Amino acid sequence: MSNSLSGHRKLDWARPFMKVIHELKNEYMNEQPFKGVRLGMCIHLEAKTACLCEVLKELGAELAITSSNPLSTQPDVAEALREKGVNVFAERTLDEKVYWENMDQVLAIRPHILIDDGADLGIRLLERQSQNFNQLWGICEETTTGLQRYRSMEKEGLMKVPVIAVNDSRMKYLFDNRYGTGQSTWDGIIRTTNVSISGKTIVVAGYGWCGKGIAMRARAYGARVIITEIDPVKACEAVMDGFIAMKMDDAASLGDIFVTATGNKDVITRSHFLMMKDGAILANAGHFDIEVSVADLEAMCCEHRDMKPGIEAYKLKNGREVFLLAKGRLVNLVNGDGHPIEIMDLSFSIQLESALYLIKQKGKLSHGVQPVPENIDQKIAHLRLIADELSIDRLTEDQSKYLQSWKM
Ligand code: NAD
Ligand code: SAH
């Protein structure tokens, strides 16, 4: 099978499950709202992302895309997308230079709007490419860490365009971060290792939206789940949800599988590796490859072995061996296909509506991070319910008045 043929088949499989975004496509097809608009995209390049590109192109956009992680590009999908006339600058490579060169190729089309995931593309433009900056109307940011990075820039007075906080809309984080990461993290771990989750002790670092989903699904598999947190409220929440909360220092010797989902650095480091059981498995579902300190592992290991693809063994001086998945990068995207199709349908529908919002509000929005308007969340939720042939109650006029009054 040619490289692109398997890519086309992946798109053909995903498309019918992406009902919401295709509903939006039908709604906007005559209007062609992206005509004349150049979009620079930096999102994991797999089948659902390619379907988003297809829709944006059919709505008139000129597109260039790269991937938001050096190892999350699926080459067959990239090839299929190229054949559809999209400018694709993405490779599955650990070569950092190539990763950044691909970003620069995307920025070279002088985008009006960036659809970013993790802020690598936007920060590259803001920091290094002022010549390509003047035409930029705004950025739509997909994920928690990306928004945290843009907010830090804003605090330092460096944000010169509006950034739409796609991640913070309810139809994104409640589904993508929680159920999406919950399913796809275990998919990535299970399809690579083929080990049983049932009966294992799982340590999840971080009880935010991603951590909640990962813990919830681990429990459903029959695992014992330990949570580590730095926020006392989240730790209380984990306990009330029926999990055990403790320090990583205490959990390190207990876990069979460790999953980080914090967006932080140095969550599992040298002293933890030394306490781990022989055969402990390490995976990251948060952001960069610094949550599990790969640098520490490399520095302290006395023997390294490549096991099957996506698994590396590190032998430590105490004679024990630990297994690192996906080189410490996002396990669900590097060792799997990322979130389920219906979930990415929601996230990408919000991306599409947010980009349209930037077009309609061009020049009117203030600089810095802005929420996705509530009506977009409501619209996407309604479309999802319609796709599932579900309908819900509506407030009567009388109920609406009652809810706004103080009288009994
Ligand atoms: P969140 O802010 O809801 O949760 C992060 C949690 O980690 C917080 O509760 C925080 O207190 C905790 N934390 C921070 N430092 C910690 C430490 N040292 N030890 C233990 N806990 C710590 O964020 P989220 O939406 O759950 O996202 C988490 C990360 O996952 C972000 O980097 C985000 O970009 C990324 N993300 C990944 C995927 C994916 O596909 N794998 C999907 C969505 C988000
Ligand atoms: N630069 C980061 C990117 C953060 S990834 C990195 O180093 O990998 C986190 C985001 O990936 C999530 O917010 C989610 O929306 C997105 N994601 C998850 N599954 C995906 C998929 N199948 N296709 C595209 N994006 C996906």
Side-chain angles (χ1 to χ4, degrees):
M1 190 162 31
S2 84
N3 206 16
S4 69
L5 183 58
S6 68
H8 285 293
R9 285 183 177 167
K10 286 181 182 175
L11 265 78
D12 290 344
W13 172 253
R15 212 176 283 115
F17 293 95
M18 298 185 73
K19 293 203 166 73
V20 175
I21 204 158
H22 287 100
E23 211 36 62
L24 296 178
K25 184 185 96 175
N26 294 339
E27 180 187 338
Y28 295 123
M29 201 59 187
N30 290 337
E31 195 190 323
Q32 290 285 295
F34 287 98
K35 201 157 195 297
V37 179
R38 295 190 297 274
L39 297 180
M41 300 174 61
C42 175
I43 302 234
H44 306 288
L45 218 182
E46 52 74 66
K48 283 86 83 185
T49 309
C51 289
L52 166 68
C53 292
E54 260 183 353
V55 169
L56 290 167
K57 197 163 184 307
E58 284 180 74
L59 296 180
E62 186 191 328
L63 296 178
I65 181 162
T66 187
S67 185
S68 55
N69 181 300
L71 293 180
S72 65
T73 299
Q74 299 194 5
D76 54 350
V77 172
E79 201 46 48
L81 201 52
R82 268 187 208 107
E83 287 178 6
K84 287 174 180 285
V86 173
N87 301 306
V88 178
F89 305 103
E91 283 146 84
R92 192 179 165 96
T93 171
L94 272 175
D95 187 336
E96 290 263 325
K97 194 164 161 271
V98 174
Y99 179 71
W100 292 110
E101 277 168 5
N102 282 329
M103 298 271 164
D104 290 341
Q105 299 260 40
V106 169
L107 295 176
I109 73 160
R110 307 190 78 243
H112 296 114
I113 293 175
L114 301 185
I115 296 187
D116 206 354
D117 177 357
D120 280 355
L121 187 66
I123 291 177
R124 183 82 172 171
L125 176 55
L126 292 160
E127 265 196 341
R128 302 241 189 147
Q129 301 217 350
S130 45
Q131 78 278 13
N132 283 336
F133 178 76
N134 291 339
Q135 81 297 332
L136 188 70
W137 303 339
I139 301 173
C140 301
E141 172 52 48
E142 173 87 1
T143 201
T144 316
T145 290
L147 286 176
Q148 174 258 307
R149 294 174 80 195
Y150 284 130
R151 285 190 173 110
S152 306
M153 288 187 88
E154 190 179 344
K155 272 195 198 135
E156 290 177 31
L158 298 171
M159 220 48 236
K160 299 171 201 148
V161 285
V163 175
I164 309 300
V166 171
N167 180 76
D168 291 358
S169 71
R170 286 185 298 160
M171 286 304 287
K172 200 282 184 179
Y173 70 84
L174 288 177
F175 301 93
D176 178 310
N177 301 32
R178 181 170 44 174
Y179 300 114
T181 315
Q183 177 169 325
S184 63
T185 296
W186 289 111
D187 174 22
I189 294 173
I190 292 168
R191 77 162 81 169
T192 322
T193 62
N194 198 219
V195 301
S196 166
I197 307 305
S198 172
K200 294 262 185 329
T201 298
I202 309 295
V203 179
V204 179
Y207 201 64
W209 291 109
C210 293
K212 284 186 176 77
I214 296 165
M216 178 201 300
R217 295 306 184 228
R219 173 159 60 193
Y221 275 117
R224 283 176 297 279
V225 184
I226 296 172
I227 303 295
T228 72
E229 251 298 342
I230 44 101
D231 177 339
V233 177
K234 300 272 179 67
C236 287
E237 206 182 352
V239 171
M240 286 289 188
D241 285 343
F243 300 111
I244 302 163
M246 62 176 78
K247 286 180 172 181
M248 185 58 82
D249 283 350
D250 299 323
S253 61
L254 304 177
D256 299 302
I257 302 179
F258 293 80
V259 187
T260 49
T262 67
N264 207 339
K265 63 190 266 208
D266 295 337
V267 178
I268 306 185
T269 57
R270 172 180 283 269
S271 61
H272 304 124
F273 298 133
L274 287 172
M275 286 188 254
M276 284 179 185
K277 293 181 190 175
D278 188 35
I281 293 172
L282 306 163
N284 171 39
H287 202 74
F288 291 126
D289 53 351
I290 52 177
E291 297 205 23
V292 175
S293 175
V294 182
D296 275 5
L297 256 189
E298 277 167 1
M300 66 198 287
C301 114
C302 49
E303 191 188 324
H304 171 271
R305 289 188 297 149
D306 279 319
M307 310 299 288
K308 50 190 285 222
I311 311 179
E312 289 164 274
Y314 289 86
K315 189 144 201 145
L316 309 178
K317 289 193 188 89
N318 59 15
R320 294 185 202 151
E321 200 166 38
V322 296
F323 298 114
L324 176 69
L325 306 189
K327 295 193 172 295
R329 295 178 185 269
L330 296 188
V331 70
N332 58 332
L333 282 142
V334 176
N335 283 12
D337 294 319
H339 294 354
I341 308 172
E342 297 90 333
I343 297 237
M344 291 320 296
D345 184 33
L346 298 177
S347 302
F348 288 161
S349 296
I350 307 262
Q351 280 283 12
L352 189 153
E353 285 285 340
S354 298
L356 283 177
Y357 175 65
L358 275 177
I359 295 173
K360 287 184 194 139
Q361 298 296 320
K362 189 174 86 176
K364 293 188 208 146
L365 297 170
S366 43
H367 295 171
V369 178
Q370 321 273 328
V372 172
E374 175 61 22
N375 65 317
I376 293 182
D377 245 355
Q378 295 283 327
K379 175 177 177 181
I380 301 304
H382 276 296
L383 288 177
R384 181 65 242 167
L385 290 173
I386 291 167
D388 283 341
E389 296 181 1
L390 297 170
S391 54
I392 58 167
D393 292 325
R394 276 175 192 273
L395 283 176
T396 62
E397 214 172 297
D398 202 31
Q399 283 175 324
S400 186
K401 270 192 204 147
Y402 173 75
L403 290 176
Q404 287 166 48
S405 87
W406 54 271
K407 291 179 189 160
M408 291 297 284

Short mmCIF file of all heavy atoms in Angstrom, two decimals, residues 294-318:
data_model
loop_
_atom_site.label_atom_id
_atom_site.label_comp_id
_atom_site.label_asym_id
_atom_site.label_seq_id
_atom_site.Cartn_x
_atom_site.Cartn_y
_atom_site.Cartn_z
N VAL A 294 13.74 12.83 31.83
CA VAL A 294 14.48 11.93 30.93
C VAL A 294 15.97 12.22 31.07
O VAL A 294 16.81 11.31 31.01
CB VAL A 294 14.00 12.12 29.47
CG1 VAL A 294 14.72 11.15 28.54
CG2 VAL A 294 12.49 11.89 29.37
N ALA A 295 16.30 13.48 31.30
CA ALA A 295 17.73 13.85 31.46
C ALA A 295 18.33 13.11 32.65
O ALA A 295 19.44 12.57 32.57
CB ALA A 295 17.84 15.36 31.65
N ASP A 296 17.60 13.04 33.78
CA ASP A 296 18.09 12.30 34.96
C ASP A 296 18.26 10.83 34.63
O ASP A 296 19.26 10.22 34.98
CB ASP A 296 17.09 12.42 36.13
CG ASP A 296 17.31 13.69 36.94
OD1 ASP A 296 18.17 14.50 36.54
OD2 ASP A 296 16.61 13.87 37.96
N LEU A 297 17.24 10.28 33.96
CA LEU A 297 17.29 8.84 33.63
C LEU A 297 18.53 8.54 32.79
O LEU A 297 19.23 7.57 33.03
CB LEU A 297 16.07 8.47 32.79
CG LEU A 297 14.92 7.72 33.44
CD1 LEU A 297 13.93 7.28 32.38
CD2 LEU A 297 15.40 6.53 34.25
N GLU A 298 18.76 9.43 31.80
CA GLU A 298 19.91 9.19 30.92
C GLU A 298 21.21 9.31 31.70
O GLU A 298 22.14 8.52 31.51
CB GLU A 298 19.87 10.15 29.73
CG GLU A 298 18.95 9.57 28.67
CD GLU A 298 18.56 10.51 27.56
OE1 GLU A 298 19.03 11.68 27.57
OE2 GLU A 298 17.76 10.08 26.71
N ALA A 299 21.27 10.30 32.60
CA ALA A 299 22.51 10.53 33.34
C ALA A 299 22.81 9.37 34.31
O ALA A 299 23.97 9.05 34.55
CB ALA A 299 22.41 11.84 34.11
N MET A 300 21.79 8.74 34.87
CA MET A 300 22.04 7.76 35.92
C MET A 300 22.00 6.31 35.42
O MET A 300 22.29 5.39 36.19
CB MET A 300 21.03 7.95 37.06
CG MET A 300 19.60 7.66 36.68
SD MET A 300 18.44 8.39 37.86
CE MET A 300 18.65 7.32 39.25
N CYS A 301 21.62 6.12 34.14
CA CYS A 301 21.46 4.73 33.71
C CYS A 301 22.81 4.10 33.36
O CYS A 301 23.71 4.77 32.85
CB CYS A 301 20.48 4.68 32.56
SG CYS A 301 21.07 4.17 31.00
N CYS A 302 22.99 2.80 33.69
CA CYS A 302 24.26 2.18 33.33
C CYS A 302 24.11 1.31 32.10
O CYS A 302 25.10 0.89 31.51
CB CYS A 302 24.87 1.43 34.51
SG CYS A 302 23.74 0.35 35.34
N GLU A 303 22.87 1.05 31.68
CA GLU A 303 22.67 0.32 30.43
C GLU A 303 21.32 0.72 29.84
O GLU A 303 20.31 0.77 30.55
CB GLU A 303 22.69 -1.19 30.73
CG GLU A 303 22.76 -2.05 29.49
CD GLU A 303 22.58 -3.54 29.84
OE1 GLU A 303 23.06 -3.97 30.92
OE2 GLU A 303 21.93 -4.25 29.03
N HIS A 304 21.32 1.00 28.54
CA HIS A 304 20.08 1.40 27.86
C HIS A 304 19.77 0.38 26.78
O HIS A 304 20.66 -0.05 26.05
CB HIS A 304 20.26 2.79 27.23
CG HIS A 304 19.13 3.19 26.34
ND1 HIS A 304 19.10 2.89 24.99
CD2 HIS A 304 17.98 3.85 26.59
CE1 HIS A 304 17.98 3.36 24.46
NE2 HIS A 304 17.29 3.95 25.42
N ARG A 305 18.49 -0.06 26.71
CA ARG A 305 18.11 -0.99 25.64
C ARG A 305 16.85 -0.50 24.98
O ARG A 305 15.91 -0.07 25.67
CB ARG A 305 17.77 -2.37 26.23
CG ARG A 305 18.96 -3.14 26.74
CD ARG A 305 18.55 -4.56 27.12
NE ARG A 305 17.58 -4.60 28.21
CZ ARG A 305 16.64 -5.55 28.35
NH1 ARG A 305 16.52 -6.50 27.46
NH2 ARG A 305 15.83 -5.54 29.38
N ASP A 306 16.81 -0.57 23.63
CA ASP A 306 15.55 -0.33 22.93
C ASP A 306 14.78 -1.62 22.99
O ASP A 306 15.29 -2.66 22.61
CB ASP A 306 15.82 0.05 21.46
CG ASP A 306 16.20 1.50 21.34
OD1 ASP A 306 15.57 2.33 22.03
OD2 ASP A 306 17.13 1.81 20.58
N MET A 307 13.56 -1.55 23.48
CA MET A 307 12.71 -2.75 23.48
C MET A 307 11.90 -2.69 22.18
O MET A 307 12.42 -2.26 21.17
CB MET A 307 11.80 -2.76 24.72
CG MET A 307 12.52 -2.51 26.03
SD MET A 307 13.78 -3.75 26.42
CE MET A 307 12.78 -5.15 26.83
N LYS A 308 10.61 -2.98 22.19
CA LYS A 308 9.83 -2.78 20.96
C LYS A 308 9.61 -1.28 20.75
O LYS A 308 9.84 -0.48 21.69
CB LYS A 308 8.53 -3.58 21.02
CG LYS A 308 7.74 -3.37 22.28
CD LYS A 308 6.61 -4.35 22.38
CE LYS A 308 5.49 -3.96 21.43
NZ LYS A 308 4.15 -4.11 22.06
N PRO A 309 9.17 -0.85 19.54
CA PRO A 309 9.02 0.59 19.31
C PRO A 309 8.18 1.26 20.39
O PRO A 309 7.13 0.74 20.78
CB PRO A 309 8.32 0.66 17.94
CG PRO A 309 8.69 -0.62 17.26
CD PRO A 309 8.83 -1.64 18.36
N GLY A 310 8.67 2.41 20.87
CA GLY A 310 7.94 3.16 21.89
C GLY A 310 8.28 2.78 23.31
O GLY A 310 7.75 3.35 24.26
N ILE A 311 9.18 1.79 23.50
CA ILE A 311 9.58 1.40 24.87
C ILE A 311 11.10 1.33 24.94
O ILE A 311 11.73 0.66 24.12
CB ILE A 311 9.04 0.02 25.28
CG1 ILE A 311 7.54 -0.11 24.98
CG2 ILE A 311 9.33 -0.25 26.76
CD1 ILE A 311 6.94 -1.47 25.34
N GLU A 312 11.67 2.02 25.94
CA GLU A 312 13.12 1.92 26.17
C GLU A 312 13.35 1.48 27.61
O GLU A 312 12.63 1.91 28.52
CB GLU A 312 13.77 3.29 25.99
CG GLU A 312 13.81 3.76 24.55
CD GLU A 312 14.11 5.24 24.49
OE1 GLU A 312 13.15 6.04 24.59
OE2 GLU A 312 15.28 5.61 24.39
N ALA A 313 14.38 0.64 27.79
CA ALA A 313 14.70 0.16 29.14
C ALA A 313 15.93 0.91 29.65
O ALA A 313 16.91 1.09 28.91
CB ALA A 313 14.99 -1.33 29.09
N TYR A 314 15.87 1.35 30.91
CA TYR A 314 17.00 2.01 31.57
C TYR A 314 17.40 1.18 32.78
O TYR A 314 16.60 1.05 33.72
CB TYR A 314 16.63 3.42 32.01
CG TYR A 314 16.47 4.39 30.86
CD1 TYR A 314 15.25 4.50 30.19
CD2 TYR A 314 17.53 5.19 30.44
CE1 TYR A 314 15.10 5.37 29.13
CE2 TYR A 314 17.38 6.07 29.37
CZ TYR A 314 16.17 6.16 28.73
OH TYR A 314 16.02 7.03 27.68
N LYS A 315 18.59 0.61 32.73
CA LYS A 315 19.07 -0.17 33.88
C LYS A 315 19.78 0.80 34.83
O LYS A 315 20.63 1.60 34.40
CB LYS A 315 20.03 -1.25 33.40
CG LYS A 315 20.42 -2.21 34.48
CD LYS A 315 20.57 -3.63 33.92
CE LYS A 315 20.44 -4.62 35.03
NZ LYS A 315 19.79 -5.81 34.63
N LEU A 316 19.43 0.72 36.11
CA LEU A 316 20.01 1.64 37.09
C LEU A 316 21.11 0.94 37.87
O LEU A 316 21.22 -0.29 37.86
CB LEU A 316 18.91 2.14 38.04
CG LEU A 316 17.66 2.70 37.36
CD1 LEU A 316 16.64 3.13 38.39
CD2 LEU A 316 18.02 3.89 36.46
N LYS A 317 21.89 1.75 38.60
CA LYS A 317 23.05 1.18 39.33
C LYS A 317 22.61 0.19 40.41
O LYS A 317 23.37 -0.68 40.80
CB LYS A 317 23.88 2.31 39.95
CG LYS A 317 24.63 3.09 38.87
CD LYS A 317 25.69 4.01 39.45
CE LYS A 317 26.26 4.89 38.37
NZ LYS A 317 25.53 6.17 38.20
N ASN A 318 21.37 0.31 40.90
CA ASN A 318 20.90 -0.63 41.93
C ASN A 318 20.46 -1.97 41.31
O ASN A 318 19.89 -2.81 42.00
CB ASN A 318 19.76 -0.01 42.76
CG ASN A 318 18.57 0.37 41.89
OD1 ASN A 318 18.46 -0.04 40.74
ND2 ASN A 318 17.68 1.20 42.44
#
